[in-house]
């Protein structure tokens, strides 16, 4: 496995995600003010701070062990909608990554798909509901396509991050059907979804830490 | 941000210290942020666990005590608690005949309570049932959306279910009481001002001096629509009419009518609103059998109110009248 | 002005309609604007009449009922009622053994209650006694001034006197209970925001985003001094220390500790404040025997709080614990 | 009694006072915002509106009867500090005016003094306490002096109104010792007293209606 992604690279990805959340937390909360309850940045930052603290100094034997820790930490520290959703994403991602201490690009893409399926299983969101799904799903599709068509990991991750960002931007005109934004009905139109925004950061972190 | 707090990150922990100090009948687990009846578990009684984001006080911690909840899980401000909290509470209050989770219908609350119930099934032999409250007529109900929010009916449901549990009814019956209250309860709210999540530091939304929000929830979120400020009697109509039409409530129905303050509206205005609400109900021939007026399910310091109407049977009225001894609702004891 | 009202001139009358509709145990005379126990007069029981400006709800109307007041006179917002109201109430509640007027020390309240007592002496055979509450340590006490304001101690005094009357104690003894509570009670308040008298239409004072008022009363008036916004623990010290030094309260004293909301401050902050207050008292070795946390003597929608501490004897604790059944305080029944 | 003040002139005085209160009610409330509870204008306006309504269409046999009605109406409709104080002022004024249907300037001055004494009996204010007394007392003194020294009524009332206005202005630097303003301690300094302001209007009304 020449171009395998190591456990420490995966850890770097999660750390980078935490750093991006920290930098963007006010923006995420701001977006959630408009169509939610003004806490998405606060929630994600509390969760990722807990994750980074949990990673510090601890050694993990495998992908599965690392991401179980990450997922459980998010579930136990975030609450709200994003806690179970991101928690489930990482738990499923880790389980699919397996008990090795590295994963090849195909395996990484499969694990991302498993994570996405976990989000759907938990939250029942569909395309166009104006949720994090609308950023994650195109990203996972783009990753699959790129890797299937033989792209390098670096290019594939950039394509995925770009797709996530386009997906995030596409949430703006959507009328929300899931999450708190759905309570606003027509008034949810014209605002970017906070969860799609944090999901795009997750993909951008992958592109910069793993690419 | 003008609040009587220390660090925004410590608000909930410090408020829980205050609740514990002020109420010797309650016990607080500060690690998991759960408020318990001091005498939990009550053997042979179905136990009631609720919880949700903080910032809605007295809901839910103020409703813990004989005749109402056995435990309340306090999440971060406006954020559902995490499954660990509900799991700890479920284990601690089980009196051997099962635990009922009373969940307000928000994506976060529903998912976290679901995970807790899964964990309880996996880790314990405790019989757990869950009921979701979704009474807010401001939200269009639909199979394809998150559905309606759980708001004011929650207070009535927790009271009636608490009384049913105290009578020794089995888990499924107590769950049925909550379902019946939810099926017969409808609410709608409005805001004159926004509120400020301490960690966010600024109001969730801005509202002009001559505007109000109709169809708000309880999380400081904007409502269904923004309209010009109106007189109390028009506000009452905007809230009560959609409620009455939704169930619908009919001439001759007996109801519990509940005018709730959002946190920043003084009691004098709530009584004035109650007068308007009662006038509309009387005009429709609906009999207000019992009433509740005050800030019971709030949204921090938001100014505004909500109206909840629950159609009640004689059994439900008996459950309402049964003794309750909690910080926020107390009678008969 | 953002309020749930109709016409500013109708606020009190309409709120009284709401109180009457919500509380079948109360009767309201809408002409004189007096709230009564529905079963008044209670023969053979000393009757308690209080009252004052409106805008302090639940005080006083929310404290009418068995175990507390027999009647409450509602003045205009922040304006003492007129003698006609107290006279009507005095006549209506006399159970043959005298009527106690519980008066908060404001020039207007004192003069109007005095005139009412004079009229009662001239027109009726009713035995009337009056006690004035003046517990606010923010105001320098002096023979040459109007003296201290009556604030939070009033709530405790009305509860204890109500219980004493219910026990059948004679007028002078019930008056002595109020005097003892007043002699042993001290309060101090603060505001984060001003409030708006409906008929005035704008806030009574302006306060910067980073300022607060210390030493306020309950009429939306500015306080003793304006200081920079501070953390809850510093605010608690600013309120509790002058109180404890004034009486003074000493190590080993048993007290009732009361953290009161001014109307616009949510319960979560009041519990957080109670934690700070209790911490200071514990540090001084003062024993909090009973506590009360919530908005009980308010100043419309003002954000802020006050602290009241009353040193209590065993008899006073028994009176506190005795049954009470009013809209705002209820236990034991 | 060539220059006697008739009952209808006295009524005109009270009506003029009511009109001045109506015009100045916001100013009075504003002054009360600074050092009181923002209701003095509202209180006085409620009271004087009730008085004017009570006078409408009713005939009074005597000074005493007219001012008893005025005083009792104020007591029964104002509340607060100003209700009993102005009520007592007019009750005592009327009693001192006697059972005739007119009063001569000396009698008027004596009745004003009786009204002032009533305010003191009710409120225990002393000079310099920063209350309505500080406008009323100099006015009554000036009236006495002018009439004793043989001034015409018109001139005497103008002197009294001027003295009331000087007394009102002199309340600004005072530290309040009575009424709500006393709770402010040092902070009461620098604000004009609302009750002294309405009292100056009472004297100004006398000068324009009786002079
Ligand atoms: N059912 C769902 N499926 C997928 N994502 C969802 C769902 N509901 C909400 N979300 C996402 O969660 C985000 C909000 O997260 P957050 O603000 O942390 O939680 P909460 O709504 O409980 O306050 C939304 O912007 C949306 O992207
Ligand atoms: N003891 C007193 N003697 C004379 N005048 C007084 C006294 N106390 C208050 N006042 C006057 O009453 C005025 C306030 O009246 P008002 O605002 O109507 O009543 P309240 O203070 O009850 O709100 C003050 O400005 C002052 O002039
Ligand atoms: Mg949110
Ligand atoms: Mg939330
Ligand atoms: Mg007043
Ligand atoms: Mg005033």
């Amino acid at each position: 496995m020449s171009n395998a992604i190591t456990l420490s690279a995966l850890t770097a990805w999660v750390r980078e995600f935490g750093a991006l959340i920290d930098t963007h937390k006010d923006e995420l909360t701001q977006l959630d003010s408009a169509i939610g309850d003004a806490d998405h940045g606060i929630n994600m930052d509390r969760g990722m701070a807990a994750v980074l603290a949990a990673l510090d100094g601890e050694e993990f034997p495998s992908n599965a062990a690392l991401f179980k820790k990450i997922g459980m930490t998010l579930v136990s520290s975030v609450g709200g909608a994003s806690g179970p959703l991101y928690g489930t994403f990482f738990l499923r991602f880790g389980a699919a990554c397996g008990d090795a201490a590295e994963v090849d690009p195909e395996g990484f893409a499969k694990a991302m798909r498993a994570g996405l399926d976990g989000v759907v299983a938990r939250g029942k969101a569909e395309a166009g509901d104006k949720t994090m799904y609308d950023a994650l799903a195109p990203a996972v599709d783009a990753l699959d396509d790129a890797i299937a068509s033989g792209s390098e990991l670096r290019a594939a991750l950039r394509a995925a991050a770009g797709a996530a960002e386009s997906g995030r931007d596409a949430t703006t005109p959507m009328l929300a059907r899931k999450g708190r934004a759905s309570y606003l009905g027509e008034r949810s139109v014209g605002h970017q979804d906070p969860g799609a925004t944090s999901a795009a950061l997750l993909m951008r972190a992958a592109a910069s830490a793993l690419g | 941000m003008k609040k009587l707090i220390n660090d925004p990150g410590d608000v909930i922990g410090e408020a829980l210290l205050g609740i514990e100090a002020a109420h010797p009948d309650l016990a607080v687990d500060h690690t998991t942020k759960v408020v318990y009846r001091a005498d939990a578990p009550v053997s042979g009684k179905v136990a009631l666990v609720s919880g949700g984001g903080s910032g809605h006080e007295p809901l839910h911690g103020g409703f813990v005590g004989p005749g109402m909840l056995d435990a309340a899980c306090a999440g971060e401000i406006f954020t559902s608690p995490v499954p660990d909290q509900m799991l700890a509470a479920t284990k601690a209050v089980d009196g051997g005949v099962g635990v009922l989770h009373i969940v307000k219908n928000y994506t976060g609350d529903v998912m976290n309570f679901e995970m807790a119930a899964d964990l309880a099934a996996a880790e314990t032999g405790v019989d757990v049932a869950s009921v979701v409250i979704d009474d807010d007529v401001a939200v269009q109900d639909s199979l394809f959306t998150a559905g309606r929010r759980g708001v004011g009916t929650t207070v009535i449901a927790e009271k009636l279910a608490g009384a049913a549990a105290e009578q020794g009814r089995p888990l499924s019956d107590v769950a049925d009481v909550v379902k019946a209250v939810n099926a017969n309860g409808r609410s709608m709210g409005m805001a004159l001002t926004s509120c400020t999540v301490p960690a966010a530091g600024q109001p969730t939304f801005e509202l002009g001096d001559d505007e109000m929000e109709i169809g708000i929830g309880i999380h400081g979120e904007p409502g269904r629509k923004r309209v010009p400020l109106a007189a109390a009697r028009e506000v009452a109509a905007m809230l009560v009419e959609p409620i009455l039409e939704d169930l619908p409530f009919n001439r001759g129905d007996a109801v519990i009518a509940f005018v709730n303050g959002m946190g920043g509206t003084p009691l004098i205005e709530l009584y004035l609103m109650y007068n308007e609400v009662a006038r509309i109900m009387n005009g429709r021939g609906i009999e207000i059998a019992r009433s509740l007026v005050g800030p019971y399910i709030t949204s921090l310091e938001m100014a505004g109110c909500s109206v909840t109407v629950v159609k009640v049977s004689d059994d439900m009225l008996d459950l309402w009248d049964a003794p309750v001894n909690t910080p926020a609702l107390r009678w008969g004891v």
Side-chain angles (χ1 to χ4, degrees), chain A residues 32 37-40 43 79-81 180, chain B residues 76-80 219:
Chain A
D32 200 29
D37 59 347
D39 65 0
H40 186 57
N43 289 344
R180 284 179 197 287
Chain B
E76 295 293 320
I77 299 282
F78 294 164
T79 301
S80 160
H219 297 87

Side-chain angles (χ1 to χ4, degrees), chain A residues 123-179:
Chain A
K124 315 277 179 306
E126 294 176 15
D129 279 358
K130 195 177 183 113
T131 71
M132 61 175 65
Y133 178 91
D134 293 309
L136 275 183
V140 172
D141 289 345
L143 188 65
D144 273 347
D145 288 353
I147 290 190
S149 67
S151 290
E152 269 205 84
L153 179 62
R154 183 185 179 82
L157 287 172
R158 290 195 172 191
E165 283 153 11
S166 305
R168 171 199 70 197
D169 295 345
T171 62
T172 301
M174 291 177 184
L175 188 148
R177 284 188 300 253
K178 290 278 151 56

Side-chain angles (χ1 to χ4, degrees), chain A residues 24-72:
Chain A
H24 290 81
K25 65 172 181 254
D26 290 344
E27 178 196 338
L28 294 173
T29 294
Q30 205 59 51
L31 291 171
D32 200 29
S33 287
I35 54 170
D37 59 347
D39 65 0
H40 186 57
I42 302 166
N43 289 344
M44 292 304 296
D45 196 51
R46 181 174 61 249
M48 290 311 298
V51 165
L52 298 197
L55 298 187
D56 264 348
E58 218 180 317
E59 290 291 318
F60 295 90
S62 69
N63 304 332
L66 172 66
F67 285 99
K68 181 168 185 191
K69 182 73 178 184
I70 293 166
M72 287 309 297

Side-chain angles (χ1 to χ4, degrees), chain B residues 159-160 163 167 256 289-291 314-324 330-333:
Chain B
K159 169 65 185 83
L160 269 54
Q167 288 179 350
I256 298 175
R290 299 291 184 278
S291 66
D314 287 346
D315 178 50
M316 286 159 89
L317 280 182
D318 288 344
L319 293 171
W320 177 256
D321 292 338
V324 59
R330 180 164 175 182
W331 55 74
V333 54

Side-chain angles (χ1 to χ4, degrees), chain B residues 245-290:
Chain B
E245 270 138 40
D246 193 88
L247 192 62
F249 293 85
N250 296 312
R251 187 165 288 277
D253 284 346
V255 303
I256 298 175
F258 168 27
V259 170
N260 173 62
M262 298 310 299
T265 285
L267 201 51
I268 189 169
E269 295 178 32
L270 297 180
Y271 275 117
L272 192 151
M273 278 298 298
Y274 181 77
N275 178 48
E276 298 298 343
V277 168
R279 228 174 24 79
I280 298 175
M281 312 271 274
N282 291 341
R284 303 259 196 135
I286 294 164
E287 182 215 338
I288 302 183
R290 299 291 184 278

Side-chain angles (χ1 to χ4, degrees), chain A residues 37 39 76 80-81 177 184 187, chain B residues 78-79 84 112 145-146 213 223:
Chain A
D37 59 347
D39 65 0
S76 300
R177 284 188 300 253
L184 289 176
R187 283 180 86 181
Chain B
F78 294 164
T79 301
D84 316 47
N112 284 284
T145 66
E213 289 274 334

